[in-house]
Amino acid sequence: MFALKSATKRLNSRAFSTNTAANATSFAKKAFTGGVAATGLAASYLLYADGQTAEAMTAAEHGLHPPAYGWSHNGMFDTFDHASIRRGFHVYREVCAACHSLDRVAWRTLVGVSHTNSEVKEMAEAFEYDDEPDDQGNPKKRPGKLADYIPGPYENEQAARAANQGALPPDLSLIVKARHGACDYIFALLTGYPDEPPAGVVLPVGANYNPYFPGGSIAMGRVLFDDLVEYDDGTPASTAQMAKDVTTFLNWAAEPEHDDRKKDGLKAIIVLSSLYLISVWVKKFKWAPIKSRKIVFNPPKK
Amino acid sequence: MVYQASRIAYKSAPGALHVLKAYTPNLIFFGAAAGGLVFTLTERVPLFRNTFLKKIPVVGDHWDVKIDPQDTYY
Amino acid sequence: MVFYNALRNILYKRNSVFVATVFTGAFVFQASFDVGVTKWYEYHNRGKLWKDIKPRILAGGDGAEDEDEEDDE
């Protein structure tokens, strides 16, 4: 009881003393008020100045945001659907490859992912690559090998632009990583071409309208139509099916380490969280006697 | 008066062999520990896999990785 | 208490035993942990993996027989 009382008293006296210290001089008070006023005025002016300029980018110029689709590889521990990668490669070869290159993907990377060794070898051999020159120094050609990279449709950027009215079809190797919205954007773009542009939209010659493309005016036209390709596994080739498959394939091309990465992540999560829990337990184990001990002082009796 | 007699107590000094003998179990266990460390660190090295790990009875198959030639480009 | 005494007597009394247990334990753990995680991971993603579609491709590829339902977004 006594102890409590004295504690209260001490608290009071401390509170009192703090109060005294905070009792500012009239100069400090004025300086503080002035500071608040200056900050307020500066903020107001900045807000006003900001309001004087217009935002150049309209919503249409940013492009329509794609919806979030339920990709089968969305989850933390979900792999790609490899059957879909295989179909997606089929779509790429038959449709996209007419304009888009896939420079950073080698034939060999498809082996054991979507195709067998002999299938990929056969596909690679259908292309010609530069070989070492012969003894007279004349350039030679050779059939492709697994180690070769998938050839693009054009020799160089100038040829690609010349064939596409000045527009350069981007390389698709990393396109899923390179676009905001990733898979969702690619799928929405491929399936999002309206039959005709909305009223009032004026497009340059040769351009097409797609609301998901920033600015709405895209050089690429709609390319996917129902039953454009025939899948070797019998899946009906609807527009949405092809767009989904080719997007999955492009996501694999951009992130070939994806499946292993998620597995390693799972391992890391299990090990690190176990170690964390153990460390919490050890800390408690070591500190429990120290935190719960009671030190008693017995004053000598006179 | 108390009679005190002292005599030198001879004792054979423990030789190096004796010390070695006392430490034998420890050395064996440390040897096992070193072996375990080597196995742990070299688990992925093909030379070690083929020379040792594959030949472990019962579980040796785990390191005997057979990849279908259709699944790899090597 | 009996358990802890046994643990102490068997495991911690000799440092050599303790160190050997740690290293051999690590060796056994890294192999079995990998097997366990891989097993769950492949079970979790069954039907989507390369090894699931490979038999069909080797069998000739064609045929609309067993294409598991494709969730169309």
Side-chain angles (χ1 to χ4, degrees), chain A residues 42-103:
Chain A
S44 310
Y45 172 73
L46 286 174
L47 270 175
Y48 169 77
D50 186 50
Q52 294 304 102
T53 56
E55 175 59 65
M57 291 282 271
T58 61
E61 281 168 322
H62 279 296
L64 193 59
H65 287 199
Y69 295 106
W71 298 98
S72 72
H73 55 265
N74 265 352
M76 273 177 88
F77 308 125
D78 292 341
T79 62
F80 285 129
D81 181 353
H82 286 239
S84 189
I85 295 178
R86 186 182 169 88
R87 290 192 299 268
F89 180 72
H90 188 119
V91 175
Y92 167 76
R93 277 254 60 92
E94 293 208 358
V95 185
C96 317
C99 303
H100 290 277
S101 56
L102 203 59
D103 284 345

Side-chain angles (χ1 to χ4, degrees), chain A residues 85-275:
Chain A
I85 295 178
R86 186 182 169 88
R87 290 192 299 268
F89 180 72
H90 188 119
V91 175
Y92 167 76
R93 277 254 60 92
E94 293 208 358
V95 185
C96 317
C99 303
H100 290 277
S101 56
L102 203 59
D103 284 345
R104 284 153 211 274
V105 180
W107 291 109
R108 61 184 160 78
T109 53
L110 291 164
V111 176
V113 172
S114 60
H115 295 72
T116 62
N117 189 309
S118 40
E119 279 178 316
V120 182
K121 251 182 194 151
E122 206 175 298
M123 285 192 286
E125 277 164 5
F127 291 89
E128 275 198 331
Y129 287 83
D130 290 335
D131 200 358
E132 287 179 1
D134 63 13
D135 292 342
Q136 272 71 49
N138 299 316
K140 265 197 313 189
K141 292 281 185 183
R142 60 163 174 80
K145 299 185 289 193
L146 284 180
D148 287 315
Y149 283 76
I150 295 178
Y154 304 111
E155 279 297 311
N156 47 48
E157 185 186 327
Q158 285 73 13
R161 283 190 189 280
N164 291 285
Q165 298 161 322
L168 175 69
D171 183 73
L172 295 184
S173 314
L174 295 167
I175 201 77
V176 169
K177 272 180 172 171
R179 293 290 179 271
H180 286 292
C183 282
D184 293 335
Y185 168 75
I186 308 287
F187 181 87
L189 188 84
L190 289 174
T191 55
Y193 284 93
D195 289 337
E196 51 191 75
V201 171
V202 183
L203 295 167
V205 182
N208 301 277
Y209 180 76
N210 192 314
Y212 296 99
F213 191 73
S217 158
I218 183 170
M220 180 175 92
R222 179 178 170 180
V223 284
L224 295 177
F225 296 92
D226 285 352
D227 299 317
L228 187 65
V229 303
E230 197 180 326
Y231 285 133
D232 56 7
D233 62 5
T235 307
S238 63
T239 302
Q241 180 70 44
M242 286 186 289
K244 175 227 162 186
D245 290 339
V246 83
T247 307
T248 308
F249 166 71
L250 291 175
N251 197 348
W252 167 80
E255 297 178 287
E257 84 294 351
H258 175 279
D259 291 0
D260 287 333
R261 168 160 56 79
K262 283 183 173 172
K263 194 166 93 178
D264 290 347
L266 172 62
K267 282 184 183 175
I269 286 170
I270 293 174
V271 170
L272 292 179
S273 51
S274 312
L275 289 178

Side-chain angles (χ1 to χ4, degrees), chain A residues 72-73 77-84 259, chain C residues 37-56 66-71:
Chain A
S72 72
H73 55 265
F77 308 125
D78 292 341
T79 62
F80 285 129
D81 181 353
H82 286 239
S84 189
D259 291 0
Chain C
V37 169
T38 306
K39 209 169 178 182
W40 179 84
Y41 191 65
E42 287 182 353
Y43 170 75
H44 183 71
N45 292 295
R46 65 195 177 281
K48 293 179 2 183
L49 304 169
W50 164 244
K51 64 170 189 174
D52 298 318
I53 63 167
K54 187 180 153 197
R56 198 177 59 220
D66 60 336
E67 180 45 42
D68 31 16
E69 81 301 330
E70 284 308 327
D71 42 329

